[in-house]
Amino acid sequence: MDSLEWKVGGQQGEGVDSTGEIFAKMLFRHGHYVTTYKQFMSRIKGGHTNYKIRATSYSTHHAGDGLDILLALDDDSYKVNKHELNNGALVLFDGEVSIEKTEGHTLVHLPLKQIAKDIGNPLAKNMIALGVSGALVSLPQEEFFALIEDQFAKKGTKIIEANKTAVEKGYELVAEHLSDSVRHLNAPDAEKRMLISANQAVAFGSLMAGCRFLSAYPITPASEIMEWLSHELPKVGGTIMQVEDEIAGITFAIGASFAGARSMTSTSGPGLSLKTEALGMAGMSETPIVIVDSQRAGPSTGLPTKFEQSDLQHVLHASHGEFPRIVLYPSTIEDSFYLAAEAFNMAENYQCPVFLLLDLGMSMNKSTIMPIDAKRVAVNRGKVLTESDLEQLKENFQRYQFSSDGISPRAIPGTPGGVHVTSSNEHAESGYITEEPDIRTKIMEKRMRKIENATCQNPFYVSNPEADTMVVTMGSTRGAVEEAIRAMSSEGASLGQLNIQQLHPLPTDALRPYLADKKVIVVESNYEGQLLNWLKQHLPIHDRSYSIRQYDGNPFRVDTIASQLKELV
């Protein structure tokens, strides 16, 4: 076997997530490329939840459409996930021993709970099932034991030995009842890699870029960013504040940035709604700030633990009035690290808010990536005046000095000679409030031209640029589209793919050659076709553009995209 699609399903609160995490780590340690996807309900306990793992011998950005093994820990698991079962799939249930073949797959009942009780560890049902799963794909039992020793090191020898015994029982069950079902899962080379989520990558990238302040309010699916940085920021002298609400989250970050710290706030859609008034203050005061918006399905509370890409129009226009902002949206977990780091440089170079969009498909799910190259991160703080610079000024420091590129030198408060005024009101070059029409016009034009030429290092990725049809994506939708195009190209279809990572300012001139004189199909997870509408505002594709949209809370399936592409090309 070159790939395995595995899922554990059960009631929320009975260890589904930890079971999936352990099996993902096991497959990763054995050398496989691993891609995960969690489905869970927005409640503390109860309701069906599941954890999908796809292990491959090659790199991929998609967790897969099917299932080879389903570990069904509750009654809903089979019913909810039956439609994903591949031909020949195996479904494991708890119960008296029985094996039944039906509808192209095999239903297997094994006494997981009873064995757990017999070995004196009633909570070990999941570990026994993991042993069964590992044995079915020939994972070495010794590697499972090594993982258990690492995973439960803080819980002591007794817990470690109990879990080893449970895993061992799983292997014995397979040897006794399922020896004919054992397959060998081919592992690629043992090249060094990482297993990481986009939330973790963003947090890591921010840390490496010199972020030293985060203020945020917990919210799914962005909370992991704050959790990760709460451990790491203090180690480098940084500060994290879990504040009382979303408004405080952004205003503290603005204040820290004004004081000279590279700062950020992280949130999701409802939290971003609350931040919008203060966002305008960052725009008016030209205070650099990075805002991470990990999208979930809305509006309002919506589907708080489900997938959607519907905040694009919000981040493009959030807050009243007009001010420059930059919107970045990585399409891989690896780029989540590098774009997070670059976001801080862009925020300070252009002295404006920078949005870093994520979606639940990447935020909370992990993929195998090549080791991150921290040497690629270069810190550039833009036009910051030193004490020596300020001493050479012939006149008093003008914080909002008119300039040809719209970017005014700034001084960190406390720097001798850099005293200045900043407020959320309109102001003159000095920072003092004014309502003078001529000054308002000039200072407005100064602000707005700042980002005219702003471009990140990888604003987009394109494949097969000469194709007759270009499929455009953003964020985690990239993975499913890549695989759909690969399958269709093998059948002769002429399809290219364009993954846009810089959405504002849109790199129109650079994009134009790839979208000219060809059919354009935009695949996105929202109702209104927000990405397509944004492209139409900038590029003449109106008479040859089409949309594939989904907004049911789930990520795209490859077969769904492929079938719709076939109708359109």
Side-chain angles (χ1 to χ4, degrees):
M1 297 171 62
D2 287 326
S3 67
L4 169 71
E5 292 178 290
W6 178 96
K7 180 182 281 187
V8 55
Q11 287 295 299
Q12 199 150 292
E14 65 174 349
V16 170
D17 190 65
S18 59
T19 302
E21 283 286 309
I22 291 173
F23 199 53
K25 285 182 182 177
M26 181 63 195
L27 290 162
F28 171 72
R29 284 190 173 198
H30 197 52
H32 302 282
Y33 289 91
V34 172
T35 307
T36 72
Y37 196 90
K38 302 176 186 177
Q39 296 268 15
F40 58 103
M41 304 185 78
S42 55
R43 59 183 75 169
I44 302 301
K45 188 172 183 178
H48 176 74
T49 182
N50 59 64
Y51 191 119
K52 169 80 181 291
I53 298 172
R54 185 186 187 195
T56 56
S57 57
Y58 49 87
S59 178
T60 178
H61 300 117
H62 180 54
D65 285 357
L67 285 175
D68 300 308
I69 297 175
L70 172 61
L71 179 54
L73 300 180
D74 69 349
D75 294 336
D76 288 339
S77 292
Y78 181 55
K79 180 176 61 179
V80 171
N81 301 289
K82 183 179 177 182
H83 67 286
E84 296 182 6
L85 294 172
N86 296 327
N87 188 37
L90 194 150
V91 186
L92 295 171
F93 301 92
D94 179 59
E96 295 294 325
V97 174
S98 70
I99 300 176
E100 175 190 359
K101 291 186 181 298
T102 178
E103 300 181 51
H105 45 268
T106 303
L107 309 181
V108 179
H109 285 79
L110 295 172
L112 306 176
K113 282 184 183 176
Q114 186 58 51
I115 293 175
K117 289 180 182 176
D118 292 345
I119 62 175
N121 186 9
L123 300 178
K125 178 184 70 174
N126 294 6
M127 296 302 293
I128 298 170
L130 281 178
V132 172
S133 299
L136 284 171
V137 291
S138 306
L139 294 178
Q141 193 169 324
E142 295 72 22
E143 289 189 19
F144 245 123
F145 289 169
L147 176 61
I148 288 170
E149 289 174 0
D150 291 345
Q151 185 83 14
F152 299 100
K154 293 182 179 177
K155 296 189 175 182
T157 305
K158 189 175 179 180
I159 297 295
I160 290 173
E161 293 305 317
N163 282 316
K164 283 184 178 179
T165 300
V167 167
E168 198 169 32
K169 291 295 180 184
Y171 275 78
E172 291 173 1
L173 282 172
V174 172
E176 185 176 356
H177 303 290
L178 294 168
S179 57
D180 291 343
S181 299
V182 174
R183 300 289 183 269
H184 179 73
L185 182 60
N186 298 324
D189 56 62
E191 193 175 6
K192 196 172 183 179
R193 305 184 187 98
M194 300 176 69
L195 182 63
I196 189 171
S197 71
N199 278 343
Q200 293 170 333
V202 164
F204 188 20
S206 302
L207 185 78
M208 296 305 296
C211 173
R212 293 297 179 266
F213 185 85
L214 168 77
S215 51
Y217 185 77
I219 186 169
T220 301
S223 296
E224 190 181 20
I225 296 171
M226 181 168 60
E227 292 163 7
W228 195 94
L229 285 172
S230 68
H231 293 287
E232 304 303 325
L233 262 186
K235 296 177 183 175
V236 295
T239 299
I240 180 170
M241 292 184 65
Q242 180 177 325
V243 291
E244 67 270 26
D245 58 32
E246 297 282 359
I247 299 171
I250 188 169
T251 49
F252 269 105
I254 292 171
S257 178
F258 176 72
R262 283 199 151 185
S263 65
M264 66 184 290
T265 185
S266 55
T267 189
S268 188
L272 184 63
S273 296
L274 291 169
K275 293 179 188 295
T276 54
E277 183 181 2
L279 174 66
M281 181 170 69
M284 174 61 87
S285 62
E286 305 191 43
T287 305
I289 184 172
V290 174
I291 304 154
V292 181
D293 174 24
S294 181
Q295 300 168 89
R296 65 191 206 187
S300 190
T301 308
L303 299 171
T305 59
K306 299 297 181 183
F307 174 74
E308 203 164 88
Q309 300 174 305
S310 53
D311 288 354
L312 176 58
Q313 288 296 334
H314 191 185
V315 299
L316 290 172
H317 305 292
S319 200
H320 57 285
E322 301 165 304
F323 57 90
R325 83 240 357 239
I326 294 170
V327 180
L328 307 175
Y329 192 171
S331 60
T332 67
I333 289 178
E334 195 169 7
D335 272 344
S336 298
F337 171 88
Y338 294 112
L339 275 185
E342 194 170 1
F344 285 90
N345 285 345
M346 297 186 82
E348 293 201 315
N349 280 324
Y350 299 104
Q351 299 177 21
C352 70
V354 175
F355 284 101
L356 187 69
L357 279 177
L358 296 175
D359 56 57
L360 191 141
M362 293 194 298
S363 279
M364 302 186 67
N365 297 294
K366 295 180 178 177
S367 284
T368 301
I369 64 171
M370 298 307 292
I372 285 170
D373 182 6
K375 294 180 181 176
R376 285 177 53 185
V377 178
V379 175
N380 183 344
R381 304 209 61 175
K383 294 182 180 179
V384 178
L385 299 180
T386 64
E387 181 178 352
S388 175
D389 295 330
L390 290 162
E391 284 176 352
Q392 296 176 31
L393 296 180
K394 297 178 180 177
E395 300 176 345
N396 290 337
F397 172 57
Q398 301 286 300
R399 167 64 184 98
Y400 301 103
Q401 180 184 17
F402 296 128
S403 61
S404 58
D405 62 3
I407 303 167
S408 309
R410 65 186 179 115
I412 304 299
T415 306
V419 175
H420 62 278
V421 173
T422 292
S423 80
S424 60
N425 287 74
E426 189 57 280
H427 45 261
E429 288 180 278
S430 62
Y432 283 99
I433 295 172
T434 183
E435 297 180 11
E436 169 59 41
D438 289 343
I439 296 178
R440 157 69 178 186
T441 301
K442 286 186 66 176
I443 203 99
M444 185 74 175
E445 291 170 351
K446 182 199 87 73
R447 279 196 299 270
M448 297 305 291
R449 66 173 173 265
K450 285 196 300 185
I451 63 166
E452 287 177 351
N453 299 311
T455 308
C456 69
Q457 292 187 21
N458 295 305
F460 58 86
Y461 288 104
V462 62
S463 62
N464 197 16
E466 305 301 326
D468 297 334
T469 299
M470 188 59 69
V471 185
V472 183
T473 58
M474 59 180 176
S476 67
T477 302
R478 170 179 177 171
V481 171
E482 276 180 345
E483 299 204 12
I485 288 178
R486 192 178 301 129
M488 293 182 64
S489 296
S490 66
E491 300 171 1
S494 179
L495 292 166
Q497 185 172 359
L498 182 65
N499 308 287
I500 302 179
Q501 298 200 128
Q502 180 174 309
L503 291 156
H504 187 65
L506 197 66
T508 310
D509 291 340
L511 291 174
R512 198 183 307 276
Y514 303 112
L515 300 176
D517 303 323
K518 59 181 65 179
K519 187 176 289 185
V520 176
I521 302 174
V522 179
V523 182
E524 55 188 313
S525 287
N526 57 67
Y527 179 85
E528 295 181 330
Q530 296 184 19
L531 178 56
L532 175 57
N533 291 334
W534 184 236
L535 292 175
K536 284 181 175 177
Q537 289 185 44
H538 295 82
L539 294 159
I541 59 172
H542 300 68
D543 58 342
R544 48 189 171 81
S545 58
Y546 304 86
S547 181
I548 295 176
R549 304 186 304 277
Q550 182 173 299
Y551 33 86
D552 63 355
N554 296 308
F556 276 106
R557 290 172 57 89
V558 173
D559 55 11
T560 301
I561 294 172
S563 65
Q564 294 189 57
L565 285 177
K566 286 178 182 176
E567 293 179 5
L568 293 172
V569 297

